């Protein structure tokens, strides 16, 4: 939108260009400039086309100038207003050429400077508040989906991911992990030591996961790894790698610098014919078999295992 002042039409086009430059860089500013110029040519009467040409030249030089400046400054209020000021300075000669009168030029220029600086002030603070608001929302969303102790996915995120991966036709695998004799660690060395073990185990499991895998703390000392598009054989390899890595590494705590632990694992595979809950129950039964068979081992769920437990 523009404001008609005497023979000149004042608008705030430099403000969206600066916004685009500050947030998106040169490509965004160029796209914004092209949109503004194209609109100006479409809306400008033929007899005023010289004004549109001059405006195009001004906005082009303006974009190139602030693109150079943007490389060396941070996004602060004063730098935002600096770019607005450069746009104003570049526009003033064009305003004089179009008005061709000092009286009209001064009247139009004062209004142009005032409106653009005020628009820049309001826009920057509005964008800052909106950005802070969205960052806070993202932070709260992350908290809602992250285990506070380990930094891994929490049970809510794992359950959500299970419901999504469960709709894939390719099938997926689950690895349910439990720390052997973890109660002994807590009772003997204290809960702080237990928390240290949980954090370190979470880091270890995350380092072994593949890019598409999701590792999370399912609750207490139980961890769950969701492996999309993964066969039972591949899941078994991942599980064994995790088991042997944990068994040969130390998990130092303040109380015990040379603490060693082991883990038991249950592996299950599912496809579109199984629900995620059924797959999780199968992994839990396989985990129970690992613990019941001496711990520090991984067990793959099979129908034979189901018959034995029945």
């Amino acid at each position: 939108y523009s404001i008609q002042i005497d023979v000149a039409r004042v608008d705030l086009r430099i403000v969206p260009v600066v916004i685009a430059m500050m947030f998106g860089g040169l490509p965004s500013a160029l796209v914004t400039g092209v949109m503004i110029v194209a609109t100006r040519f479409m809306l400008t009467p033929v007899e005023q086309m010289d004004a549109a040409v001059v405006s195009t030249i001004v906005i082009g030089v303006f974009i190139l100038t602030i693109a150079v400046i943007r490389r060396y400054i941070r996004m602060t209020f004063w730098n935002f207003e600096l770019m607005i000021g450069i746009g104003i300075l570049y526009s003033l000669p064009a305003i004089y050429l179009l008005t061709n009168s000092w009286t009209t030029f001064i009247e139009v220029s004062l209004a142009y400077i005032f409106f653009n600086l005020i628009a820049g002030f309001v826009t920057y603070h509005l964008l800052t508040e909106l950005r802070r608001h969205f960052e806070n929302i993202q932070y709260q969303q992350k908290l809602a989906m992250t285990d506070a102790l380990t930094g891994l996915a929490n049970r809510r995120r794992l359950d959500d991911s299970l419901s999504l991966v469960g709709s894939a036709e390719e099938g997926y695998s689950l690895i349910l992990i439990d720390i052997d004799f973890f109660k002994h660690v807590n009772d003997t060395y204290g809960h702080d030591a237990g928390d240290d073990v949980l954090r370190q185990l979470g880091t270890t499991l995350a380092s072994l996961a593949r890019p598409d895998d999701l590792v999370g703390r399912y609750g207490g000392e139980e961890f769950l790894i969701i492996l999309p598009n993964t066969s039972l054989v591949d899941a078994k390899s991942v599980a064994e790698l995790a088991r042997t890595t944990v068994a040969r590494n130390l998990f130092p705590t303040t109380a015990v610098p040379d603490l060693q632990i082991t883990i038991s694992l249950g592996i299950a595979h599912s496809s579109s014919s199984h629900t995620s809950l059924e797959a999780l129950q199968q992994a839990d039964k396989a985990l129970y078999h690992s613990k019941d068979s001496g711990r520090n081992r991984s067990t793959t769920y099979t129908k034979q295992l189901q018959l034995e437990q029945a």
Side-chain angles (χ1 to χ4, degrees), residues 42 51-52 132 161 173 197 226 240 259 283 285 292 296 299 307:
M42 287 189 296
R132 186 180 296 116
S161 297
S173 293
V197 169
I226 302 175
E240 276 300 299
L259 180 64
K285 290 177 180 177
D292 197 45
N296 189 25
T299 301
L307 294 174

Side-chain angles (χ1 to χ4, degrees), residues 15-26 28-29 66 69-70 73-81 83 124 127 131:
V15 175
V17 172
V18 173
I19 293 171
M21 180 63 71
M22 295 298 284
F23 286 98
L26 180 59
S28 296
I66 63 175
I69 295 175
R70 179 67 182 91
I73 63 174
R74 296 185 301 109
M75 193 180 75
T76 65
F77 168 71
W78 292 112
N79 288 333
F80 189 87
E81 287 288 58
M83 290 188 176
Y124 180 83
L127 290 174
R131 193 173 195 177

Side-chain angles (χ1 to χ4, degrees), residues 71-269:
R71 296 184 60 182
Y72 303 101
I73 63 174
R74 296 185 301 109
M75 193 180 75
T76 65
F77 168 71
W78 292 112
N79 288 333
F80 189 87
E81 287 288 58
L82 170 65
M83 290 188 176
I84 297 290
I86 292 173
I88 292 172
L89 289 176
Y90 282 4
S91 300
L92 291 180
I95 293 174
Y96 177 74
L97 289 175
L98 297 175
T99 56
N100 202 26
S101 166
W102 278 107
T103 303
T104 306
F105 169 71
I106 292 174
E107 179 184 356
V108 173
S109 296
L110 289 176
Y112 184 76
I113 294 170
F114 174 78
F115 286 126
N116 275 282
L117 290 178
I118 291 296
F121 175 85
V122 173
T123 301
Y124 180 83
H125 287 286
L126 177 62
L127 290 174
T128 301
E129 288 302 314
L130 285 173
R131 193 173 195 177
R132 186 180 296 116
H133 173 70
F134 287 124
E135 286 175 350
N136 183 59
I137 290 177
Q138 290 175 340
Y139 177 69
Q140 295 299 330
Q141 289 175 335
K142 182 179 179 180
L143 286 181
M145 295 293 183
T146 304
D147 176 61
L149 180 63
T150 63
L152 300 175
N154 61 12
R155 180 160 183 164
R156 178 180 177 181
R157 184 181 174 192
L158 289 168
D159 287 338
D160 288 347
S161 297
L162 278 173
S163 63
L164 293 175
V165 76
S167 62
E169 295 182 0
E170 297 86 352
Y172 60 94
S173 293
L174 302 178
I175 303 175
L176 192 60
I177 303 167
D178 188 86
I179 303 176
D180 297 330
F181 303 109
F182 184 70
K183 185 177 185 300
H184 174 74
V185 175
N186 278 331
D187 293 344
T188 306
Y189 308 114
H191 288 278
D192 288 342
D195 288 347
D196 287 340
V197 169
L198 290 171
R199 277 190 288 265
Q200 293 177 65
L201 178 58
T203 301
T204 300
L205 295 176
S207 68
L208 299 175
R210 303 167 305 176
D212 292 337
D213 298 340
L214 178 63
V215 182
R217 184 183 175 198
Y218 202 63
E221 66 270 26
E222 282 193 341
F223 291 79
L224 178 66
I225 306 179
I226 302 175
L227 306 95
N229 305 317
T230 302
S231 67
L232 207 54
V233 173
D234 291 337
K236 177 72 174 179
S237 299
V238 174
E240 276 300 299
L241 176 62
R243 186 188 66 80
T244 55
T245 301
V246 171
R248 68 170 178 259
N249 286 344
L250 295 178
F251 289 77
T253 69
T254 304
V256 191
D258 57 349
L259 180 64
Q260 287 185 299
I261 64 169
T262 59
I263 56 176
S264 297
L265 308 92
I267 310 163
H269 180 75

